[in-house]
Structure formats: structure tokens, C-alpha cells
Amino acid sequence: TGELERITRRFAVELAKKGFLGTGVDVPAPDMGTGEREMAWIADTYRLTLGYNDLNANACVTGKPISQGGIHGRTPATGRGIYYGLKYFSNNASIMSMIGLTPGIKNKTFILQGFGNVGLYGSIYLHDHGAIMTGVIERDGSIYNPNGINPHDLQKYREEHGTIVGYPHAEVTKENLIEAECDIFVPAASEKQITADNATNIKAKIIAEGANGPTTPKADQILIDRNRLVIPDLYANAGGVTVSYFEWLKNLNHVSFGRLTFKYEEDSNYLLLGSVQKSLEKTLDDRNVVPIVPSEEFKERIAGASEKDIVHSGLAYTMRRSARNIINTAEAFDLGLDFRTAAFIHSIGKIYTTYKEAGGAYTSSNM
């Protein structure tokens, strides 16, 4: 740990010295092999060196622990985003009819590649909403159970044994689970896992790209030609960077989301219940007392939205709006199941509009 910390801190200093690290320059976030601890080291190093005079120094990096300016909900955000992406695409009856599946996530089987942060939380959200995880692929082995694997239990087993191999409720298998029978395949490990060599053998009808670049361009075209739905990485795994943006905003504002409104919302909700109670008592009979008791669900929200609630809501809205934009773009350009191209078209279109409306002050025609 000591050596890793020294390397990480030195790396942060060199990035900052060259202008590659700063609150308004480039804001890194955790990826494979890193987490809250490493992000805290980077933020602390920047704050104590080149960022010593920067009030917003904590905003130089995201994915930090809460005590260091992190935000609730950042750790599971990428996995949660995968769930939202699958939810919004699978609820589209037109898309599902194109690939021969019924709408919705419930009771659909999925195989997961990579049981790290992204895969763990992605599988938990899918499992908790009715999907069935039948297989898990990890570096040291793969496990399979056609009746389902509980990711909560699997995580407990891995914490105790350091591996998923040997998990008592699934069989170790030598089968290439990338090509195994399932409704959904979630590559959440590294790049170039689906290639031209194995794309023709993939049986999953939906591929939700939790990793960056898990599908090569040739494989992507093969999957489209085979009527497979590929939910592209630039959308499917955007949950992490979306919540990183929320954390960055929190650091710049120097206040937690919801802190200024908690008490006001709680008082307002109790006043609303009291108002309803008084109205009912007057309508019925002044002598009758009609207690208005909040439901358990409302009682949990009566104090207003917590920071985690706001983060989850903001992420859900962002993923839903983006899914709608991608699907609408695919329909407008008659792209069929090529949602990667649709996502690129929509994104580049927004960039074009931004430059166009800015007026192009420094283009050659205006010089």
C-alpha cells in the first residue's frame, strides 16, 4: 500500500505540473484497479501542492470518500446506470419485437463478465428487479447455475474467500459463457471481449456494454446483422461519469445536495397532512377526530430528498432522457438496431448546435 500511495501521489503531482489536473482542467475518476482511496490520495496531493491556493481543490477528482468531498451514490453509479439503460431499452416494445423478446427486465436471464465494482452493482440492481443471473465470468474462473445466482450471496462468498470459484450455489464451468444461452450478456470487464471471431456465436439477444469498448467494430456490425440489441458503452456505462459530474458540482458549491431544504420539506409535508385532517374533520363532523397517518413509503420521504435520493433521481432522469434521444435518433435516421451510431449522431449534433449558436467568432471567414 505504501508503494502504491507514493506512485499515485507522484503521478498526481506530475499531472498537475503539466496542467493535466485541476478543478476546471481535467477531472479524473476511478476505473479498473482504483477506488475511493486512490482518489482521496490524488485530491489530497493536489490540495497540498499546486492546488494549495485553490478554494475548490477538492473538485480536481471525483469518486472520493464522503469525508473527502465525495457524494452518496457514486460507488454503485455505473452499475445502476447499466440497470437503467437495460430498463429503458427493454421497456420499448418496438425494439423488443425486433429482437424477439417480450418487454421488461423481469425473468430475463443474464450472464455477467466481470464481478468488479461495475458488474457487482449492475447484477445487484438487475437481480433486485427480477432478472436472473445464470453465469459469472471472472479472471480465475467461471460459475454457472441455470436456476440463478444471487449476487448478494456471491459477494459475501468472495469477501470471505477472495474468489467466486467454489461458490456452493453454482457449478464451476469450463464453458465459454460469453457464447452461452441467455437473454442478456453484460460485458463489464475489459475491452475487445466480443470480436469478429466470437460475435457469430453469441446467443444473447441483448448486449449491455458495462465496460469501455468491449465490442470491436467488426463484431458490432455482425451483431447488428444478427438482430442483436447492443446498448453502447458511451450510454450504458455513463452512470459513473454522470454522478461524478454531480460530485464535481457539490465540490464547487461547497454544500451537500438537499441540505438547505430538508427541514422545510419535512415541515411542509406535516402541514399538508394536518391540513387534510382538518378539512376532513370539518366535512364530517367537528366532533370526529380523523387522524391522517402517512404511509410507510411516504414516511420515508417525509423529511425531503436526501443527497442519495437526489443523486439517484438525477441519474435516472439523465439515463431515461438519453435513452429516449438515442431511440428517437435511430428512428429518424432509419438505423434499425444500430444505437451506437444513433448515440454518436445525437452527441455530435449537440456539439454542432453549440458551435453554431456561439457564432464561430474565430473561424477563418470572420478573421
Side-chain angles (χ1 to χ4, degrees):
T1 301
E3 183 182 26
L4 179 60
E5 182 176 356
R6 290 195 300 273
I7 292 170
T8 303
R9 288 183 180 275
R10 177 62 185 274
F11 181 59
V13 169
E14 295 302 324
L15 285 176
K17 281 165 59 178
K18 293 173 174 60
F20 297 150
L21 179 66
T23 57
V25 183
D26 195 5
V27 182
D31 206 319
M32 287 182 67
T34 58
E36 290 184 342
R37 180 185 63 175
E38 290 77 20
M39 299 305 106
W41 290 341
I42 293 173
D44 183 61
T45 302
Y46 178 74
R47 187 171 55 246
L48 296 176
T49 55
L50 278 81
Y52 75 97
N53 203 28
D54 186 352
L55 179 67
N56 301 316
N58 264 350
C60 73
V61 69
T62 62
K64 304 179 294 292
I66 300 298
S67 65
Q68 302 301 309
I71 194 168
H72 291 89
R74 174 60 183 87
T75 300
T78 308
R80 193 177 185 91
I82 292 171
Y83 157 68
Y84 284 137
L86 278 164
K87 173 185 175 181
Y88 297 132
F89 272 84
S90 68
N91 282 343
N92 187 298
S94 175
I95 295 173
M96 290 299 99
S97 66
M98 292 169 68
I99 62 174
L101 290 178
T102 56
I105 285 176
K106 193 171 183 180
N107 294 326
K108 285 187 171 58
T109 58
F110 71 96
I111 289 175
L112 174 70
Q113 182 191 43
F115 200 61
N117 175 275
V118 176
L120 166 63
Y121 287 105
S123 63
I124 284 174
Y125 288 121
L126 288 170
H127 169 83
D128 290 350
H129 288 85
I132 303 167
M133 182 167 72
T134 56
V136 182
I137 306 166
E138 263 288 279
R139 288 173 297 181
D140 54 347
S142 301
I143 59 173
Y144 184 77
N145 182 348
N147 298 316
I149 299 167
N150 187 318
H152 298 279
D153 290 342
L154 182 60
Q155 171 62 0
K156 290 178 184 177
Y157 180 87
R158 186 177 63 174
E159 287 175 352
E160 293 175 4
H161 299 86
T163 179
I164 66 168
V165 176
Y167 177 63
H169 304 297
E171 296 292 330
V172 176
T173 178
K174 297 294 184 182
E175 181 186 357
N176 183 3
L177 292 184
I178 292 178
E179 301 174 4
E181 192 74 48
C182 63
D183 297 316
I184 303 166
F185 176 56
V186 183
S190 55
E191 69 277 358
K192 298 179 181 177
Q193 297 303 302
I194 303 174
T195 67
D197 295 329
N198 62 12
T200 54
N201 300 324
I202 289 179
K203 298 179 181 64
K205 298 289 184 71
I206 303 173
I207 293 89
E209 296 185 331
N212 290 320
T215 309
T216 65
K218 285 186 178 180
D220 193 45
Q221 190 57 54
I222 292 171
L223 292 170
I224 293 169
D225 293 340
R226 296 182 63 221
N227 272 353
R228 265 41 180 187
L229 166 61
V230 179
I231 304 177
D233 53 357
L234 73 159
Y235 166 74
N237 67 29
V241 292
T242 300
V243 177
S244 277
Y245 172 63
F246 298 159
E247 181 179 330
W248 183 71
L249 291 178
K250 174 186 177 180
N251 294 157
L252 295 181
N253 290 326
H254 298 275
V255 65
S256 298
F257 290 113
R259 182 173 180 177
L260 303 181
T261 59
F262 283 146
K263 192 66 174 67
Y264 179 83
E265 289 186 19
E266 182 179 24
D267 292 344
S268 297
N269 286 327
Y270 277 115
L271 285 171
L272 176 61
L273 291 176
S275 176
V276 172
Q277 180 173 330
K278 288 178 181 177
S279 296
L280 285 173
E281 288 172 355
K282 284 183 178 180
T283 302
L284 298 173
D285 189 332
D286 285 334
R287 292 170 298 177
N288 291 330
V289 177
V290 184
I292 303 296
V293 181
S295 66
E296 289 300 320
E297 187 177 16
F298 185 54
K299 197 180 293 183
E300 290 179 2
R301 298 189 176 204
I302 205 163
S306 66
E307 181 173 82
K308 183 182 286 187
D309 294 331
I310 293 170
V311 166
H312 287 173
S313 175
L315 175 58
Y317 171 74
T318 300
M319 297 298 289
R320 184 183 67 182
R321 183 184 63 177
S322 298
R324 187 182 299 125
N325 288 335
I326 293 169
I327 292 169
N328 289 343
T329 302
E331 291 175 354
F333 287 86
D334 195 22
L335 294 172
L337 290 171
D338 190 358
F339 292 107
R340 193 187 309 277
T341 299
F344 284 138
I345 290 172
H346 180 71
S347 301
I348 294 169
K350 291 172 72 174
I351 295 169
Y352 168 75
T353 300
T354 301
Y355 274 94
K356 179 184 177 183
E357 294 182 352
Y362 294 102
T363 59
S364 57
S365 59
N366 295 326
M367 295 295 282

